[in-house]
Amino acid sequence: MSSLSFCLVLLLNLVALALGADKYSRDDFPPEFVFGSGTSAYQVEGAASQDGRTPSIWDTFAHAGKMAGANGDIACDQYHRYKEDVQLMVDIGLEAYRFSISWSRLIPNGRGPVNPKGLQYYNNLINELISNGIQPHITLHHSDFPQALEDEYGGWVSRKIVKDFTAYADLCFRKFGDRVSHWTTLNEANVFVLGGYDGGYLPPQHCSSPFGFNCTKGNSTTEPYLATHHILLAHASAARLYKEKYQYKQKGFIGINLYTIGAIPLTNTTKDAIATQRANDFLIGWYMDPLVYGEYPHVMKKNVGSRLPSFTDFESNLVKGSFDFLGVNYYATVQVKDNSEKLEMEVRNFDADMAIEFAATQDDPSEFEFSITPWNLQGLLEYFKQVYGNPPIYIHENGQRTPRNSSLEDWHRVKYMKGYIGGLLDALRNGSNVRGYFEWSFLDLLELLDGYQSSFGLYYIDLDDPDIRRQPKLSAHWYSHFLKRKGFNSYGFIELEKNLSALSYT
């Protein structure tokens, strides 16, 4: 065993003892509960201009220098290295892999002719996963909307998107649905809208002053609500198509993904408690109320007024119940302080309507990493249970942020995963209908907010290495140990020590 491997084993032993690693195991979860990891197309595929792929709004955003000077032209080069990556998933013991399809790789113009090389790539990836016993969980839209459709009619602010998104989804169901049983229409639909159409800090960078800056088009007071309305209609249209045309034969499930925060009052005052509920209504209820009850939350109708689109009776019935599961992305806790005087503003955008300040968080702004608050994820799942009827939920993203090129011995990520997986087990035992957990992310990849400056991966990638070599971190070994049901004891990771003896970290 190399000296570095010995140190890694020793560190694993200490982490195991410190975290109480023998308190739960994979077998404490139901057999049908799925554990995996995830990525998205633009963040890992690379080959951005190869084999018929055309630009998405992410390409445009990145090449304008908006992602800390980074772009996804090469990324992790998974387009060429998918077989290697699937083998790494096997090495860890992943039961599922969540990834997205690049719409502009599959249909270069956004609608019309299909790119045969794009179709072949996704068929190859799906087949490779299936042949290795790994479930493919596919997201249709992970923010990388085709630039061609954005240029043609403004993307999600136009009702034309409903027809085009449904046709794209239809193609995917038809070509891949015989092997794919879990479909997510959109990732973080709420954050996509807030960043892309309100603040303008995400693609397609629509905004207006004073709510967003450095945008050349957009209206922050109306477009977020319009885009959300069309997202809900497009999702519901695709879901209805799947249920009517494919679900009986393919036996699959369809859902949508939302970003969530563990919002808690900053103080025990009534005002902060009401503001926290308002925050949940504007971030979560904005989508969940239509999906469960067929209409927007009352507080949104009251505060947004005529800027909030209305559903017809037909649309309300179409959206209501249009999901088999909900995808939830959760990273951190936020404390909420009332700031209701903003409601007195004559012109109001999303932030003013929400009337809150994220005045303090469980995460010290001076610190790079997220705090670990599993109890608040449990509280969030309880909220979904009590308010929305306990829908089936997959934790689609949960991961620890560390500086790029930091140590392979990422014990903070191990502690984070250990805490949240344990919290999920407690939530399950308390009656939560949670069905799976996907660690974000499988590889160190391109992050939308800060390019390559931060890292979430189980596998380290040195971007200065022309071979883009993947190296497992401590977290990959911990996750593998957990998934492969290897026992822990007071002397440490006996099986893991044997396995590490053959590893080299040179």
Side-chain angles (χ1 to χ4, degrees):
M1 179 185 293
S2 69
S3 59
L4 186 53
S5 295
F6 177 80
C7 291
L8 185 58
V9 171
L10 178 61
L11 183 59
L12 278 165
N13 291 340
L14 294 174
V15 170
L17 293 173
L19 300 181
D22 58 345
K23 289 185 178 179
Y24 68 78
S25 72
R26 172 64 180 92
D27 288 331
D28 288 314
F29 290 83
E32 63 274 11
F33 191 98
V34 64
F35 284 95
S37 188
T39 63
S40 83
Y42 188 68
Q43 293 175 279
V44 295
E45 282 183 2
S49 59
Q50 295 180 24
D51 292 346
R53 183 187 181 276
T54 60
S56 73
I57 58 175
W58 261 21
D59 293 271
T60 303
F61 189 74
H63 282 277
K66 304 297 183 180
M67 298 173 67
N71 62 65
D73 290 359
I74 299 174
C76 302
D77 197 30
Q78 190 170 86
Y79 185 76
H80 298 110
R81 306 178 64 157
Y82 69 91
K83 288 187 178 182
E84 175 188 349
D85 285 344
V86 172
Q87 187 54 54
L88 295 178
M89 297 174 204
V90 173
D91 293 345
I92 289 182
L94 293 188
E95 298 162 3
Y97 178 50
R98 177 177 176 250
F99 64 97
S100 71
I101 291 175
S102 168
W103 186 342
S104 61
R105 189 183 297 283
L106 194 60
I107 310 173
N109 293 322
R111 73 165 75 88
V114 177
N115 176 18
K117 291 187 177 180
L119 184 65
Q120 181 182 14
Y121 169 71
Y122 291 113
N123 269 320
N124 289 344
L125 174 58
I126 291 167
N127 290 341
E128 191 72 15
L129 291 166
I130 294 293
S131 66
N132 283 281
I134 299 172
Q135 297 177 19
H137 287 233
I138 290 182
T139 300
L140 295 175
H141 181 280
H142 199 116
S143 303
D144 54 344
F145 186 73
Q147 187 65 46
L149 298 183
E150 176 70 21
D151 292 340
E152 180 181 339
Y153 54 71
W156 290 100
V157 296
S158 170
R159 198 180 183 91
K160 293 179 180 179
I161 185 58
V162 176
K163 181 179 179 181
D164 286 340
F165 182 78
T166 305
Y168 162 55
D170 189 17
L171 173 68
C172 293
F173 300 151
R174 186 169 69 252
K175 295 296 185 180
F176 311 130
D178 58 330
R179 290 151 292 157
V180 176
S181 58
H182 292 82
W183 296 96
T184 303
T185 51
L186 292 98
N187 178 75
E188 291 188 354
N190 47 357
V191 168
F192 172 70
V193 164
L194 292 175
Y197 296 91
D198 181 12
Y201 53 85
L202 297 177
Q205 205 177 10
H206 288 210
C207 68
S208 60
S209 180
F211 309 114
F213 301 94
N214 299 320
C215 296
T216 59
K217 56 185 174 181
N219 186 332
S220 297
T221 65
T222 59
E223 286 193 354
Y225 306 109
L226 193 60
T228 288
H229 200 68
H230 296 151
I231 283 174
L232 286 166
L233 293 177
H235 158 79
S237 175
R240 181 179 66 172
L241 171 72
Y242 183 74
K243 291 174 181 291
E244 291 181 352
K245 188 175 179 180
Y246 297 101
Q247 193 169 48
Y248 176 78
K249 182 177 181 180
Q250 296 180 355
K251 310 296 183 184
F253 308 93
I254 190 165
I256 190 170
N257 173 285
L258 298 177
Y259 177 84
T260 64
I261 54 176
I264 57 175
L266 178 63
T267 71
N268 61 2
T269 62
T270 300
K271 282 188 174 182
D272 283 359
I274 293 173
T276 301
Q277 182 58 54
R278 192 158 58 239
N280 283 329
D281 284 336
F282 268 86
L283 186 67
I284 297 173
W286 192 9
Y287 285 79
M288 286 305 299
D289 275 39
L291 289 167
V292 174
Y293 303 116
E295 59 181 330
Y296 292 113
H298 173 73
V299 69
M300 292 193 71
K301 293 180 180 180
K302 177 183 176 181
N303 292 340
V304 181
S306 61
R307 292 175 294 126
L308 187 68
S310 298
F311 293 109
T312 66
D313 289 343
F314 172 80
E315 290 169 345
S316 177
N317 290 327
L318 178 70
V319 173
K320 182 178 179 180
S322 61
F323 68 102
D324 297 316
F325 66 85
L326 177 68
V328 166
N329 293 356
Y330 178 94
Y331 289 93
T333 295
V334 174
Q335 293 178 309
V336 180
K337 178 183 178 182
D338 177 68
N339 195 13
S340 53
E341 64 269 16
K342 284 189 177 181
L343 292 175
E344 302 302 320
M345 294 173 63
E346 182 178 354
V347 179
R348 302 172 304 211
N349 76 328
F350 174 90
D351 299 316
D353 291 327
M354 200 159 46
I356 64 170
E357 288 182 0
F358 296 128
T361 73
Q362 295 292 333
D363 305 308
D364 184 339
S366 66
E367 297 294 330
F368 201 87
E369 298 165 356
F370 298 133
S371 61
I372 303 172
T373 55
W375 53 269
N376 214 18
L377 176 57
Q378 293 173 247
L380 180 70
L381 292 172
E382 184 67 20
Y383 182 81
F384 278 107
K385 184 170 71 172
Q386 297 296 333
V387 178
Y388 298 113
N390 206 17
I393 287 177
Y394 289 89
I395 304 301
H396 272 164
E397 292 184 23
N398 176 249
Q400 179 61 283
R401 180 176 184 250
T402 56
R404 187 79 193 190
N405 294 342
S406 54
S407 173
L408 292 173
E409 299 174 359
D410 58 342
W411 66 271
H412 288 292
R413 184 167 291 109
V414 173
K415 185 177 180 181
Y416 185 98
M417 293 171 63
K418 174 69 172 64
Y420 280 106
I421 292 174
L424 283 181
L425 181 58
D426 290 338
L428 267 172
R429 289 170 171 169
N430 196 39
S432 174
N433 197 8
V434 63
R435 304 288 184 88
Y437 174 87
F438 290 78
E439 186 275 342
W440 184 267
S441 55
F442 176 60
L443 303 171
D444 283 349
L445 42 69
L446 176 70
E447 287 295 334
L448 184 54
L449 291 177
D450 58 6
Y452 293 112
Q453 295 180 6
S454 64
S455 164
F456 287 81
L458 296 171
Y459 280 87
Y460 166 77
I461 295 181
D462 182 356
L463 294 176
D464 296 325
D465 178 1
D467 294 328
I468 319 181
R469 183 167 53 121
R470 284 86 159 121
Q471 299 182 69
K473 301 179 186 178
L474 179 69
S475 55
H477 293 296
W478 182 89
Y479 203 22
S480 177
H481 206 85
F482 167 73
L483 292 175
K484 293 179 179 179
R485 298 168 169 83
K486 295 177 180 177
F488 299 104
N489 59 44
S490 59
Y491 298 103
F493 293 83
I494 295 176
E495 291 297 323
L496 185 55
E497 183 173 349
K498 294 178 182 177
N499 295 337
L500 282 176
S501 64
L503 293 179
S504 173
Y505 287 88
T506 59

